[in-house]
Amino acid sequence: MFCRALSTVFVLLSALFSACVASALPTDGLDLEARNILKRATPAAPHFVVYSDEWVSGENGPPAVSEVQGFNVFALSFLLTEGAFDQAEEWVEIGASARSSIKAQYEAAGIKLIVSLFGSTDAPTSTGADPVGTANTMAAWVKEYDLDGVDVDYEDFNAINAGDGKAEAWLATFTQQLRTQLPQGQYILTHAPVAPWFSPGKFGGGAYLTVDKTVGSLIDWYNVQFYNQGTSEYTTCAGLLTQSSSTWPNSALFQIAASGISLDKLVIGKPANTGDASNGYIAPATLAGCVEQAKAKGWDAGVMVWEFPDAAASWIQTVRSQAFPE
């Protein structure tokens, strides 16, 4: 079955879509549908992700593209089980016209706009949130407000630490339902676990080693939080990349990969400065060297940072300078 003649780029795209999907679309609506999917399509690595939760004086919605040049994913934080807060709430409040204008500017600059879910103040498993209903509600929010996807910043430490597997099961069901509503390849779906959750044998339910085995194929990449885990954890290139401490064994970047997690899904997450995390900070110029070392060993997943405006265009320019210069 063949579609009617399209522009060159959409002819190339047609190979990516099955005949059944093409046949289900009205002929006169196919161009629009293809364009919408292209706009939302998951970007290839490397991923340079910046979160935005802080209120910024004079800002009305996400910052100007020039302020975040060098990043390719901007995460509005947070959408909670109770609804939108902080930058996610601001995205709602600026109105449809402003959202459309900002979205177009970000698309032109190659920057995806996503929303981050939960964060440190939301504990969905411990509070008994239904994973299917929560996923449905959050996916509907993403569609209503025209975003490119979600980041699952699950920080329900009590549930993981319980070691009974309930947290892992909740995350699996939640992720599966998100993917039902936000199809792979059309919407970004990432997770942001802390690095120790990949440490073998430390958690009764297996933490993110179990999550990856169960639903890892549905997750585009992991924005791994290599911070807030102890004053000396992940603070040198060696500790970050090849040899974690005995407190969180086998949780450095390449050690996580050795446990079976795809190396190309492991995005290095760091705080922008010492004030953005309790510990785990590495100065941008030093981090640039660590990133270059990782790339030399075959890694190219990218870097995540918490948060804007402490991390902006100049921060990512420095961090990218040795391995991924613009």
Side-chain angles (χ1 to χ4, degrees):
M1 185 178 298
F2 297 92
C3 303
R4 64 182 177 82
L6 301 171
S7 64
T8 302
V9 66
F10 294 121
V11 169
L12 293 174
L13 280 173
S14 66
L16 300 176
F17 300 99
S18 67
C20 63
V21 171
S23 64
L25 293 169
T27 303
D28 60 0
L30 186 55
D31 283 352
L32 178 60
E33 180 68 14
R35 289 190 188 100
N36 287 339
I37 290 173
L38 177 60
K39 288 178 181 178
R40 293 194 303 262
T42 304
H47 311 292
F48 298 108
V49 184
V50 60
Y51 290 81
S52 177
D53 181 57
E54 183 178 335
W55 180 80
V56 179
S57 179
E59 183 182 281
N60 191 26
V65 164
S66 61
E67 295 187 57
V68 290
Q69 197 69 46
F71 291 103
N72 52 27
V73 180
F74 190 91
L76 301 164
S77 309
F78 288 97
L79 180 61
L80 310 183
T81 51
E82 299 175 58
F85 287 81
D86 302 334
Q87 290 302 310
E89 182 180 16
E90 190 171 286
W91 182 246
V92 173
E93 292 178 346
I94 61 175
S97 178
R99 287 196 297 270
S100 178
S101 176
I102 292 169
K103 190 69 161 45
Q105 293 170 39
Y106 271 62
E107 285 173 358
I111 305 173
K112 301 292 186 181
L113 276 167
I114 66 173
V115 65
S116 188
L117 314 179
F118 306 129
S120 63
T121 63
D122 211 359
T125 305
S126 295
T127 57
D130 171 47
V132 173
T134 303
N136 287 339
T137 298
M138 290 179 161
W141 193 94
V142 168
K143 294 176 180 178
E144 180 178 359
Y145 295 107
D146 192 28
L147 292 174
D148 297 307
V150 298
D151 172 71
V152 181
D153 183 11
Y154 180 91
E155 298 189 29
D156 194 341
F157 288 94
N158 287 338
I160 291 285
N161 291 339
D164 55 13
K166 291 181 180 179
E168 292 81 357
W170 195 98
L171 279 164
T173 300
F174 180 72
T175 301
Q176 289 164 343
Q177 189 61 25
L178 277 179
R179 268 299 180 220
T180 298
Q181 301 297 328
L182 304 174
Q184 201 156 21
Q186 296 181 34
Y187 289 90
I188 294 169
L189 197 171
T190 62
H191 281 229
V194 296
W197 283 351
F198 290 106
S199 189
K202 294 292 288 188
F203 303 93
Y208 261 80
L209 292 176
T210 296
V211 172
D212 185 75
K213 288 177 182 177
T214 308
V215 292
S217 63
L218 304 180
I219 298 169
D220 292 315
W221 70 83
Y222 297 104
N223 295 308
V224 185
Q225 297 183 50
F226 287 103
Y227 52 92
N228 286 340
Q229 304 307 313
T231 56
S232 62
E233 303 293 335
Y234 317 115
T235 55
T236 66
C237 290
L240 173 65
L241 302 179
T242 58
Q243 186 64 53
S244 63
S245 74
S246 58
T247 303
W248 305 118
N250 295 305
S251 64
L253 180 73
F254 287 98
Q255 292 176 314
I256 295 172
S259 291
I261 311 299
S262 296
L263 184 62
D264 61 1
K265 287 187 175 185
L266 296 174
V267 171
I268 295 172
K270 280 294 180 182
N273 58 36
T274 55
D276 282 323
S278 298
N279 47 63
Y281 173 72
I282 294 179
T286 303
L287 183 57
C290 301
V291 170
E292 193 281 329
Q293 289 179 36
K295 186 183 180 186
K297 293 168 63 70
W299 165 94
D300 70 347
V303 177
M304 169 273 278
V305 63
W306 176 268
E307 65 172 317
F308 179 85
D310 297 328
S314 62
W315 188 95
I316 193 61
Q317 181 180 12
T318 298
V319 171
R320 292 182 59 166
S321 61
Q322 296 185 39
F324 305 102
E326 292 187 83

